[in-house]
Every structure is written in structure tokens, then in C-alpha cells.
Short mmCIF file of all heavy atoms in Angstrom, two decimals:
data_model
loop_
_atom_site.label_atom_id
_atom_site.label_comp_id
_atom_site.label_asym_id
_atom_site.label_seq_id
_atom_site.Cartn_x
_atom_site.Cartn_y
_atom_site.Cartn_z
N THR J 100 0.82 -1.22 -0.01
CA THR J 100 0.00 0.00 0.01
C THR J 100 0.85 1.28 -0.02
O THR J 100 0.61 2.21 -0.77
CB THR J 100 -0.91 -0.01 1.23
OG1 THR J 100 -1.77 -1.15 1.17
CG2 THR J 100 -1.81 1.25 1.25
N ARG J 101 1.89 1.27 0.85
CA ARG J 101 2.75 2.44 0.93
C ARG J 101 3.58 2.61 -0.40
O ARG J 101 3.76 3.73 -0.89
CB ARG J 101 3.76 2.34 2.09
CG ARG J 101 3.15 2.12 3.45
CD ARG J 101 2.16 3.19 3.86
NE ARG J 101 1.85 3.10 5.26
CZ ARG J 101 0.96 2.26 5.81
NH1 ARG J 101 0.32 1.38 5.02
NH2 ARG J 101 0.74 2.25 7.10
N LEU J 102 4.03 1.53 -0.94
CA LEU J 102 4.85 1.58 -2.13
C LEU J 102 4.05 2.02 -3.35
O LEU J 102 4.58 2.71 -4.24
CB LEU J 102 5.50 0.22 -2.40
CG LEU J 102 6.58 -0.18 -1.38
CD1 LEU J 102 6.88 -1.66 -1.52
CD2 LEU J 102 7.85 0.66 -1.62
N GLU J 103 2.78 1.65 -3.44
CA GLU J 103 1.92 2.11 -4.53
C GLU J 103 1.80 3.63 -4.51
O GLU J 103 1.72 4.29 -5.56
CB GLU J 103 0.55 1.44 -4.46
CG GLU J 103 0.57 -0.05 -4.75
CD GLU J 103 0.78 -0.34 -6.23
OE1 GLU J 103 1.04 0.57 -7.00
OE2 GLU J 103 0.69 -1.55 -6.58
N VAL J 104 1.79 4.20 -3.31
CA VAL J 104 1.77 5.68 -3.20
C VAL J 104 3.14 6.24 -3.53
O VAL J 104 3.27 7.22 -4.26
CB VAL J 104 1.30 6.12 -1.79
CG1 VAL J 104 1.36 7.65 -1.65
CG2 VAL J 104 -0.09 5.60 -1.49
N ALA J 105 4.18 5.59 -2.98
CA ALA J 105 5.54 6.10 -3.16
C ALA J 105 5.93 6.20 -4.64
O ALA J 105 6.63 7.14 -5.04
CB ALA J 105 6.53 5.17 -2.44
N ARG J 106 5.47 5.26 -5.45
CA ARG J 106 5.92 5.27 -6.85
C ARG J 106 5.23 6.40 -7.67
O ARG J 106 5.65 6.69 -8.77
CB ARG J 106 5.59 3.91 -7.51
CG ARG J 106 4.09 3.64 -7.75
CD ARG J 106 3.84 2.23 -8.28
NE ARG J 106 4.45 2.04 -9.61
CZ ARG J 106 4.24 0.94 -10.35
NH1 ARG J 106 3.48 -0.07 -9.89
NH2 ARG J 106 4.79 0.85 -11.55
N THR J 107 4.19 7.03 -7.11
CA THR J 107 3.52 8.14 -7.82
C THR J 107 4.11 9.50 -7.50
O THR J 107 3.73 10.49 -8.10
CB THR J 107 2.00 8.16 -7.46
OG1 THR J 107 1.86 8.52 -6.07
CG2 THR J 107 1.35 6.83 -7.72
N VAL J 108 5.06 9.55 -6.55
CA VAL J 108 5.66 10.85 -6.17
C VAL J 108 6.63 11.27 -7.26
O VAL J 108 7.63 10.62 -7.53
CB VAL J 108 6.34 10.72 -4.80
CG1 VAL J 108 7.05 12.03 -4.43
CG2 VAL J 108 5.33 10.35 -3.73
N PRO J 109 6.39 12.44 -7.89
CA PRO J 109 7.27 12.87 -9.00
C PRO J 109 8.71 13.18 -8.59
O PRO J 109 9.60 13.22 -9.44
CB PRO J 109 6.56 14.14 -9.52
CG PRO J 109 5.16 14.04 -9.04
CD PRO J 109 5.22 13.34 -7.75
N SER J 110 8.95 13.43 -7.27
CA SER J 110 10.29 13.80 -6.88
C SER J 110 11.22 12.59 -6.70
O SER J 110 12.38 12.75 -6.35
CB SER J 110 10.26 14.55 -5.56
OG SER J 110 9.73 13.73 -4.52
N LEU J 111 10.75 11.38 -7.00
CA LEU J 111 11.60 10.22 -6.92
C LEU J 111 12.78 10.36 -7.87
O LEU J 111 12.60 10.68 -9.07
CB LEU J 111 10.84 8.95 -7.31
CG LEU J 111 9.88 8.34 -6.30
CD1 LEU J 111 9.24 7.10 -6.89
CD2 LEU J 111 10.57 7.97 -4.98
N ASP J 112 14.02 10.15 -7.37
CA ASP J 112 15.13 10.12 -8.28
C ASP J 112 15.26 8.68 -8.83
O ASP J 112 14.49 7.76 -8.49
CB ASP J 112 16.40 10.61 -7.62
CG ASP J 112 16.84 9.74 -6.43
OD1 ASP J 112 16.42 8.57 -6.33
OD2 ASP J 112 17.56 10.27 -5.57
N GLU J 113 16.24 8.48 -9.69
CA GLU J 113 16.37 7.18 -10.34
C GLU J 113 16.58 6.04 -9.37
O GLU J 113 16.00 4.96 -9.46
CB GLU J 113 17.55 7.25 -11.36
CG GLU J 113 17.72 5.99 -12.18
CD GLU J 113 18.84 6.15 -13.20
OE1 GLU J 113 19.08 7.26 -13.67
OE2 GLU J 113 19.48 5.12 -13.54
N ALA J 114 17.48 6.28 -8.38
CA ALA J 114 17.76 5.24 -7.40
C ALA J 114 16.54 4.92 -6.55
O ALA J 114 16.28 3.75 -6.28
CB ALA J 114 18.94 5.68 -6.52
N GLN J 115 15.78 5.93 -6.13
CA GLN J 115 14.59 5.70 -5.34
C GLN J 115 13.54 4.97 -6.14
O GLN J 115 12.88 4.05 -5.62
CB GLN J 115 14.03 7.02 -4.82
CG GLN J 115 14.87 7.66 -3.72
CD GLN J 115 14.31 9.02 -3.31
OE1 GLN J 115 13.65 9.69 -4.09
NE2 GLN J 115 14.58 9.40 -2.08
N ARG J 116 13.36 5.35 -7.40
CA ARG J 116 12.36 4.68 -8.23
C ARG J 116 12.72 3.19 -8.39
O ARG J 116 11.86 2.33 -8.32
CB ARG J 116 12.29 5.37 -9.60
CG ARG J 116 11.23 4.74 -10.51
CD ARG J 116 11.17 5.45 -11.86
NE ARG J 116 10.10 4.94 -12.66
CZ ARG J 116 10.12 3.83 -13.38
NH1 ARG J 116 11.22 3.06 -13.34
NH2 ARG J 116 9.10 3.41 -14.06
N ARG J 117 14.01 2.92 -8.57
CA ARG J 117 14.45 1.55 -8.71
C ARG J 117 14.16 0.77 -7.43
O ARG J 117 13.61 -0.36 -7.48
CB ARG J 117 15.96 1.51 -9.01
CG ARG J 117 16.52 0.11 -9.20
CD ARG J 117 18.05 0.11 -9.24
NE ARG J 117 18.55 1.09 -10.19
CZ ARG J 117 19.31 2.13 -9.87
NH1 ARG J 117 19.63 2.35 -8.61
NH2 ARG J 117 19.76 2.94 -10.81
N GLU J 118 14.42 1.36 -6.31
CA GLU J 118 14.20 0.67 -5.02
C GLU J 118 12.69 0.46 -4.78
O GLU J 118 12.29 -0.63 -4.32
CB GLU J 118 14.79 1.47 -3.86
CG GLU J 118 14.62 0.78 -2.51
CD GLU J 118 15.13 1.57 -1.31
OE1 GLU J 118 15.69 2.67 -1.55
OE2 GLU J 118 14.97 1.08 -0.19
N VAL J 119 11.90 1.47 -5.11
CA VAL J 119 10.44 1.33 -4.92
C VAL J 119 9.90 0.15 -5.75
O VAL J 119 9.16 -0.73 -5.23
CB VAL J 119 9.72 2.62 -5.30
CG1 VAL J 119 8.20 2.38 -5.44
CG2 VAL J 119 9.96 3.70 -4.26
N LEU J 120 10.28 0.09 -7.00
CA LEU J 120 9.75 -0.96 -7.88
C LEU J 120 10.29 -2.34 -7.47
O LEU J 120 9.55 -3.32 -7.48
CB LEU J 120 10.08 -0.65 -9.33
CG LEU J 120 9.37 0.56 -9.94
CD1 LEU J 120 9.86 0.80 -11.37
CD2 LEU J 120 7.85 0.35 -9.93
N GLU J 121 11.58 -2.42 -7.15
CA GLU J 121 12.12 -3.72 -6.74
C GLU J 121 11.45 -4.20 -5.47
O GLU J 121 11.05 -5.38 -5.36
CB GLU J 121 13.63 -3.63 -6.54
CG GLU J 121 14.24 -4.97 -6.13
CD GLU J 121 15.74 -4.90 -5.92
OE1 GLU J 121 16.34 -3.84 -6.17
OE2 GLU J 121 16.27 -5.91 -5.43
N LEU J 122 11.35 -3.34 -4.45
CA LEU J 122 10.74 -3.75 -3.19
C LEU J 122 9.25 -4.09 -3.37
O LEU J 122 8.74 -5.06 -2.78
CB LEU J 122 10.88 -2.63 -2.15
CG LEU J 122 10.36 -2.92 -0.73
CD1 LEU J 122 11.01 -4.20 -0.17
CD2 LEU J 122 10.62 -1.73 0.18
N LEU J 123 8.57 -3.32 -4.21
CA LEU J 123 7.18 -3.61 -4.51
C LEU J 123 7.02 -4.96 -5.12
O LEU J 123 6.15 -5.78 -4.71
CB LEU J 123 6.58 -2.52 -5.43
CG LEU J 123 5.15 -2.74 -5.90
CD1 LEU J 123 4.19 -2.81 -4.71
CD2 LEU J 123 4.74 -1.58 -6.84
N ALA J 124 7.84 -5.31 -6.11
CA ALA J 124 7.74 -6.62 -6.76
C ALA J 124 8.05 -7.75 -5.76
O ALA J 124 7.38 -8.79 -5.76
CB ALA J 124 8.71 -6.68 -7.94
N ARG J 125 9.04 -7.55 -4.90
CA ARG J 125 9.36 -8.58 -3.91
C ARG J 125 8.20 -8.79 -2.97
O ARG J 125 7.86 -9.95 -2.63
CB ARG J 125 10.62 -8.14 -3.13
CG ARG J 125 11.92 -8.23 -3.91
CD ARG J 125 13.09 -7.66 -3.10
NE ARG J 125 14.33 -7.76 -3.80
CZ ARG J 125 15.17 -8.79 -3.73
NH1 ARG J 125 14.87 -9.82 -2.95
NH2 ARG J 125 16.29 -8.83 -4.41
N CYS J 126 7.56 -7.70 -2.51
CA CYS J 126 6.41 -7.83 -1.61
C CYS J 126 5.22 -8.52 -2.31
O CYS J 126 4.50 -9.29 -1.71
CB CYS J 126 6.00 -6.45 -1.07
SG CYS J 126 7.18 -5.72 0.07
N GLN J 127 5.03 -8.19 -3.58
CA GLN J 127 3.95 -8.78 -4.33
C GLN J 127 4.14 -10.31 -4.50
O GLN J 127 3.22 -11.10 -4.40
CB GLN J 127 3.81 -8.12 -5.70
CG GLN J 127 3.23 -6.74 -5.61
CD GLN J 127 3.36 -5.94 -6.90
OE1 GLN J 127 4.29 -6.15 -7.70
NE2 GLN J 127 2.44 -5.00 -7.12
N VAL J 128 5.39 -10.72 -4.72
CA VAL J 128 5.70 -12.17 -4.76
C VAL J 128 5.39 -12.80 -3.42
O VAL J 128 4.80 -13.86 -3.31
CB VAL J 128 7.16 -12.42 -5.16
CG1 VAL J 128 7.48 -13.91 -5.05
CG2 VAL J 128 7.39 -11.96 -6.61
N ALA J 129 5.80 -12.16 -2.34
CA ALA J 129 5.61 -12.68 -1.00
C ALA J 129 4.10 -12.86 -0.69
O ALA J 129 3.71 -13.74 0.06
CB ALA J 129 6.24 -11.77 0.07
N GLU J 130 3.26 -11.97 -1.28
CA GLU J 130 1.83 -12.05 -1.10
C GLU J 130 1.12 -12.96 -2.09
O GLU J 130 -0.08 -13.07 -2.13
CB GLU J 130 1.21 -10.65 -1.19
CG GLU J 130 1.46 -9.76 0.01
CD GLU J 130 0.69 -10.22 1.22
OE1 GLU J 130 -0.53 -10.21 1.21
OE2 GLU J 130 1.33 -10.67 2.21
N GLY J 131 1.93 -13.63 -2.95
CA GLY J 131 1.36 -14.52 -3.92
C GLY J 131 0.79 -13.85 -5.14
O GLY J 131 0.08 -14.47 -5.97
N ARG J 132 1.12 -12.56 -5.34
CA ARG J 132 0.57 -11.81 -6.49
C ARG J 132 1.59 -11.82 -7.62
O ARG J 132 2.20 -10.80 -7.95
CB ARG J 132 0.21 -10.37 -6.02
CG ARG J 132 -0.88 -10.33 -5.01
CD ARG J 132 -0.99 -9.01 -4.30
NE ARG J 132 -1.14 -7.87 -5.24
CZ ARG J 132 -1.28 -6.60 -4.86
NH1 ARG J 132 -1.35 -6.31 -3.57
NH2 ARG J 132 -1.40 -5.66 -5.76
N ARG J 133 1.76 -12.98 -8.24
CA ARG J 133 2.82 -13.15 -9.26
C ARG J 133 2.60 -12.27 -10.48
O ARG J 133 3.53 -11.69 -11.02
CB ARG J 133 2.88 -14.63 -9.68
CG ARG J 133 3.49 -15.54 -8.64
CD ARG J 133 3.46 -16.99 -9.15
NE ARG J 133 4.23 -17.15 -10.39
CZ ARG J 133 5.45 -17.57 -10.44
NH1 ARG J 133 6.12 -17.87 -9.35
NH2 ARG J 133 6.08 -17.70 -11.61
N ALA J 134 1.36 -12.16 -10.94
CA ALA J 134 1.09 -11.35 -12.12
C ALA J 134 1.44 -9.87 -11.89
O ALA J 134 2.00 -9.19 -12.73
CB ALA J 134 -0.37 -11.50 -12.58
N ASP J 135 1.04 -9.39 -10.70
CA ASP J 135 1.34 -7.99 -10.35
C ASP J 135 2.87 -7.81 -10.21
O ASP J 135 3.39 -6.78 -10.66
CB ASP J 135 0.68 -7.62 -9.02
CG ASP J 135 -0.84 -7.52 -9.15
OD1 ASP J 135 -1.33 -7.33 -10.27
OD2 ASP J 135 -1.51 -7.63 -8.12
N ALA J 136 3.53 -8.77 -9.64
CA ALA J 136 4.99 -8.67 -9.50
C ALA J 136 5.67 -8.67 -10.86
O ALA J 136 6.63 -7.91 -11.11
CB ALA J 136 5.51 -9.85 -8.68
N ALA J 137 5.18 -9.51 -11.79
CA ALA J 137 5.75 -9.54 -13.14
C ALA J 137 5.54 -8.18 -13.84
O ALA J 137 6.46 -7.68 -14.52
CB ALA J 137 5.08 -10.64 -13.96
N ALA J 138 4.37 -7.53 -13.65
CA ALA J 138 4.11 -6.26 -14.23
C ALA J 138 5.03 -5.18 -13.63
O ALA J 138 5.55 -4.30 -14.34
CB ALA J 138 2.66 -5.83 -14.03
N THR J 139 5.32 -5.29 -12.34
CA THR J 139 6.21 -4.33 -11.70
C THR J 139 7.62 -4.50 -12.18
O THR J 139 8.32 -3.55 -12.47
CB THR J 139 6.14 -4.49 -10.15
OG1 THR J 139 4.80 -4.33 -9.71
CG2 THR J 139 7.02 -3.48 -9.48
N PHE J 140 8.09 -5.74 -12.28
CA PHE J 140 9.42 -5.99 -12.82
C PHE J 140 9.54 -5.52 -14.26
O PHE J 140 10.57 -5.00 -14.69
CB PHE J 140 9.75 -7.48 -12.71
CG PHE J 140 10.35 -7.92 -11.41
CD1 PHE J 140 9.89 -9.06 -10.78
CD2 PHE J 140 11.32 -7.17 -10.75
CE1 PHE J 140 10.42 -9.49 -9.56
CE2 PHE J 140 11.85 -7.56 -9.54
CZ PHE J 140 11.41 -8.71 -8.93
N THR J 141 8.45 -5.69 -15.04
CA THR J 141 8.45 -5.21 -16.41
C THR J 141 8.62 -3.71 -16.48
O THR J 141 9.44 -3.20 -17.28
CB THR J 141 7.13 -5.63 -17.12
OG1 THR J 141 7.05 -7.03 -17.15
CG2 THR J 141 7.10 -5.06 -18.55
N ALA J 142 7.94 -2.96 -15.61
CA ALA J 142 8.08 -1.50 -15.55
C ALA J 142 9.51 -1.15 -15.21
O ALA J 142 10.07 -0.16 -15.76
CB ALA J 142 7.12 -0.93 -14.56
#
């Protein structure tokens, strides 16, 4: 929930955006949301 908000903040720099998406995908896998995680890794 927090990461979905974090990824919409325009002030994210490249390193923060990378961390947000990687952590989001990892959490989605942990929750069994493989399709969502694949879409996040694709982005």
C-alpha cells in the first residue's frame, strides 16, 4: 500500500524509483501476487 503511493511521487530520483519498484515486486511475490509482480518488474 505504501509503495503504490511512493511510486507516484514525482520527486523520486532514479535510485529511489528503482528501489520502490524492486521492493514492490518482492512484496507482491511474498503475497502470492505473481502477475502484479511480473508487471512491476516489467516496468
Side-chain angles (χ1 to χ4, degrees):
T100 300
R101 305 302 193 280
L102 291 165
E103 291 287 7
V104 177
R106 72 185 295 188
T107 67
V108 175
S110 63
L111 283 179
D112 61 23
E113 183 177 331
Q115 288 177 333
R116 183 180 185 279
R117 182 189 309 118
E118 182 182 358
V119 166
L120 292 176
E121 181 182 353
L122 183 55
L123 176 58
R125 288 174 178 270
C126 291
Q127 287 168 332
V128 172
E130 286 289 296
R132 296 167 54 178
R133 288 177 60 97
D135 291 338
T139 302
F140 275 135
T141 297

